Amino acid sequence: MSTRIIPVDAFDFVVFGGTGDLARRKLLPALYHRMQDGQIPEGSRIIAASRDELDSPAYRSLVLGAIESSVPDDVRDTELLERFLACCHHVTVDAGSELGWAALADLLAGREDRVRAFYLAVAPRFFGPICERVGQSRLVTPKSRVVIEKPMGRDLESSRLVNDAVGAVFSESQVFRIDHYLGKETVQNLMALRFANALFEPLWGAAHIDHVQITVAETLGVGGRGSYYETAGALRDMVQNHLLQLLCLVAMEPPESYTADSVRDEKLKVLKALRPITIENAAQLTVRGQYMGLSTARDRIPAYTEEAGVARSRTETFVAIKAEVANWRWAGVPFYLRTGKRLPSRVSEIVVAFRPIPHNIFPAGSGAVQANKLVLRLQPDEGVKQWVMIKDPGPGGMRLRHVPLDMSFAEAFGIRNPDAYERLLMDVVRGNQTLFMRRDEVEAAWRWIDPILEAWENEGTAPNAYTAGTWGPTRSVALIERDGRTWHEETV
Ligand code: NAD
């Protein structure tokens, strides 16, 4: 296995909010690793634009700190680090006033023919004003792109406003809506498994698949992000984007080709085929939860309301949904989705559960024949496990065992497992939108989410309480057990 470097020309990468948490923890380390792999050509520049009053040397100290705290000592290289710092610049810019825009324009001037990426690592309320000023300052060139992060609105209407504001300055082919789950190795592998093997596709549908589970579990609480979380909740923060994107990749028809619009056309069809959840059926198909605190002999885990700083809150920190893709391929196959904070382990995975065998030929003492499962794990250890029945080796008659054919990517290929941002940032530079969401996808996702939010609002009840460190409210277990199924054991 070798890393393949697709060469690019020198580029300018402008990070609005380049001093913030996202830039320090994700964007700068990702760019550092791309330089380490030889993918950032000489002359490229990382230009941070933020409200902080820093000159470029002071910004380089901040970058140094960011790299030191996220890149392990043994991977750091002094010469490389110096080269990386030398390409970092900072301009003090205010999204809401004239401050700094002329300086930014001066810095960019004369490089109009190179790729220019604008990454908006700032609060969403600045997306519109920044795009407007980028336009007014005449910074948009034919090779310009803009990258926006979630949250892209908090419902269909507000998401349209964000898209309109960005779309007033950039054409759709220049807009990169990032969902870092799509940059994960396992997610790419889901596409490879489905569309580069003859093995899975004939089985991929209601005739052979019993159900699908998608779990994105976090152990942490909201911590210092309480005021943001109060405006979002798990449905908006995780389901509308990450979980629905994963569902789309499992459920979509084979695209005509592995190109941005073919893939996104197929994902859009899945979103449109999701059976609506409304006031009439929300109580049966959805579960909301909110974590309570937990005191142990050694410490105390605060409740959501303590962390968010609000005594009474109906914001959900857990959600489980039984979804259905109402089309020929998937009719009747439930897609169980769940995500939450303060759960027992940090795990993101997709479980494709196949139907049981139609008839068991083995004698009673052979052991139970369990149905096949394909488990795609996105984190913590990315990899794929295909659970199959085998004969226990050795003499002693036929004894059956359910075992995983395990492929942990990092181990199997002996490579560093790159962070999703590394791939995605370079896709921005290359202009490849395949792993980014198109406007109509984001809006179709909100179109399915909005009625759920309305139904919950209409119920007027608080989310079900669950104790921190458990798998959510008991109603989540009931949601799947009612159908004679259980949440996949490895995650429980
Ligand atoms: P942050 O508060 O740490 O940083 C905000 C940045 O915006 C700073 O650089 C600040 O100087 C700049 N800024 C603030 N006001 C400004 C103004 N008026 N003009 C110009 N710059 C201004 O925020 P963050 O955690 O880095 O998040 C940035 C965005 O990314 C948010 O939309 C967030 O929801 C999203 N996001 C963050 C993460 C993460 O891991 N931090 C993950 C996913 C999405």
Side-chain angles (χ1 to χ4, degrees):
M1 169 74 191
S2 62
T3 313
R4 189 163 67 102
I5 301 298
I6 303 170
V8 292
D9 293 331
F11 56 87
D12 283 341
F13 207 97
V14 182
V15 186
F16 286 100
T19 56
D21 177 70
L22 178 66
R24 281 182 281 119
R25 280 192 313 108
K26 292 289 181 187
L27 309 182
L28 292 166
L31 289 166
Y32 173 84
H33 283 302
R34 294 329 298 148
M35 182 176 267
Q36 182 176 37
D37 285 347
Q39 211 178 18
I40 301 200
E42 217 178 310
S44 299
R45 299 183 299 175
I46 297 164
I47 301 171
S50 84
R51 208 174 39 175
D52 296 273
E53 290 185 12
L54 296 177
D55 56 12
S56 291
Y59 182 63
R60 288 180 192 126
S61 309
L62 180 150
V63 177
L64 179 64
I67 301 298
E68 282 176 347
S69 50
S70 23
V71 180
D73 288 357
D74 55 336
V75 191
R76 258 184 280 136
D77 161 341
T78 316
E79 186 274 326
L80 172 73
L81 197 48
E82 274 173 20
R83 215 155 23 96
F84 185 72
L85 294 176
C87 71
C88 294
H89 306 261
H90 183 270
V91 188
T92 302
V93 162
D94 180 20
S97 75
E98 293 297 315
L99 178 75
W101 289 93
L104 179 61
D106 282 350
L107 194 57
L108 290 170
R111 320 262 171 113
E112 286 75 12
D113 53 353
R114 55 165 63 182
V115 165
R116 186 179 282 178
F118 296 102
Y119 198 114
L120 307 193
V122 291
R125 67 180 184 282
F126 295 127
F127 291 176
I130 288 179
C131 287
E132 202 177 316
R133 285 186 192 273
V134 164
Q136 283 165 357
S137 310
R138 302 188 175 284
L139 303 182
V140 184
T141 55
K143 288 194 193 166
S144 284
R145 285 110 217 228
V146 64
V147 189
I148 55 177
E149 276 273 356
K150 73 168 190 184
M152 293 168 211
R154 57 189 314 276
D155 52 23
L156 178 58
E157 197 184 326
S158 53
S159 128
R160 279 187 178 141
L161 292 178
V162 170
N163 283 323
D164 285 346
V166 175
V169 179
F170 294 94
S171 66
E172 182 61 27
S173 64
Q174 295 178 304
V175 183
F176 287 68
R177 295 178 190 82
I178 204 164
D179 183 330
H180 68 276
Y181 273 59
L182 297 185
K184 288 185 177 287
E185 202 70 24
T186 309
V187 172
Q188 312 279 288
N189 242 300
L190 172 57
M191 304 260 247
L193 281 176
R194 285 196 60 194
F195 305 128
N197 294 286
L199 199 61
F200 294 101
E201 207 46 29
L203 306 179
W204 211 258
H208 299 283
I209 291 178
D210 178 72
H211 72 281
V212 175
Q213 299 181 16
I214 302 177
T215 295
V216 176
E218 297 174 279
T219 50
L220 296 177
V222 292
R225 295 177 67 227
S227 57
Y228 157 70
Y229 206 79
E230 267 299 286
T231 67
L235 187 69
R236 290 186 173 99
D237 193 43
M238 300 299 288
V239 180
Q240 188 273 343
N241 36 63
H242 307 314
L243 277 86
L244 285 186
Q245 283 293 316
L246 297 179
L247 181 151
C248 283
L249 294 176
V250 174
M252 72 182 186
E253 293 301 314
E256 180 188 288
S257 60
Y258 189 60
T259 52
D261 277 335
S262 296
V263 171
R264 300 187 301 177
D265 285 347
E266 295 307 333
K267 287 198 288 165
L268 179 64
K269 287 183 202 160
V270 175
L271 291 165
K272 286 182 172 171
L274 282 170
R275 193 179 288 289
I277 295 181
T278 57
I279 290 172
E280 287 73 42
N281 58 14
Q284 289 85 55
L285 300 177
T286 70
V287 176
R288 284 176 292 154
Q290 188 187 79
Y291 59 83
M292 295 183 299
L294 177 67
S295 296
T296 64
R298 270 183 297 141
D299 60 339
R300 169 162 166 74
I301 300 173
Y304 170 73
T305 48
E306 295 167 77
E307 289 191 302
V310 279
R312 292 157 79 87
S313 165
R314 285 192 178 162
T315 306
E316 78 289 354
T317 60
F318 176 96
V319 55
I321 299 180
K322 179 181 172 185
E324 190 188 338
V325 180
N327 63 16
W328 269 57
R329 190 189 279 261
W330 295 109
V333 178
F335 282 71
Y336 298 100
L337 315 177
R338 69 175 166 168
T339 181
K341 292 191 178 293
R342 291 266 188 238
L343 301 186
S345 57
R346 177 175 169 266
V347 62
S348 299
E349 67 186 10
I350 302 170
V351 178
V352 179
F354 289 85
R355 289 192 184 280
I357 52 164
H359 168 68
N360 186 1
I361 62 166
F362 298 103
S366 309
V369 177
Q370 295 181 46
N372 299 122
K373 276 181 186 171
L374 177 68
V375 180
L376 298 122
R377 183 170 277 213
L378 283 69
Q379 59 188 25
D381 348 287
E382 287 204 55
V384 177
K385 282 183 189 172
Q386 174 65 68
W387 287 81
V388 291
M389 294 303 302
I390 58 153
K391 177 195 165 294
D392 221 354
M398 179 57 81
R399 284 165 293 123
L400 297 169
R401 261 173 67 186
H402 199 219
V403 294
L405 301 179
D406 187 355
M407 189 168 64
S408 169
F409 299 140
E411 272 170 40
F413 296 118
I415 54 161
R416 176 180 67 83
N417 206 357
D419 186 82
Y421 276 96
E422 290 185 43
R423 166 177 294 111
L424 295 173
L425 297 190
M426 292 318 294
D427 278 353
V428 171
V429 173
R430 283 190 289 262
N432 182 352
Q433 291 180 304
T434 311
L435 300 177
F436 295 81
M437 294 174 291
R438 209 166 51 191
R439 174 175 183 156
D440 49 8
E441 276 183 81
V442 174
E443 293 183 359
W446 280 120
R447 210 168 279 117
W448 188 70
I449 293 287
D450 277 3
I452 304 178
L453 290 165
E454 269 167 46
W456 289 351
E457 190 68 36
N458 188 61
E459 277 172 23
T461 53
N464 295 110
Y466 65 96
T467 306
T470 65
W471 282 101
T474 46
R475 282 194 59 215
S476 161
V477 176
L479 178 81
I480 191 165
E481 292 196 347
R482 243 195 337 253
D483 296 341
R485 304 178 175 106
T486 51
W487 290 110
H488 178 57
E489 311 179 329
E490 273 190 312
T491 63
V492 180

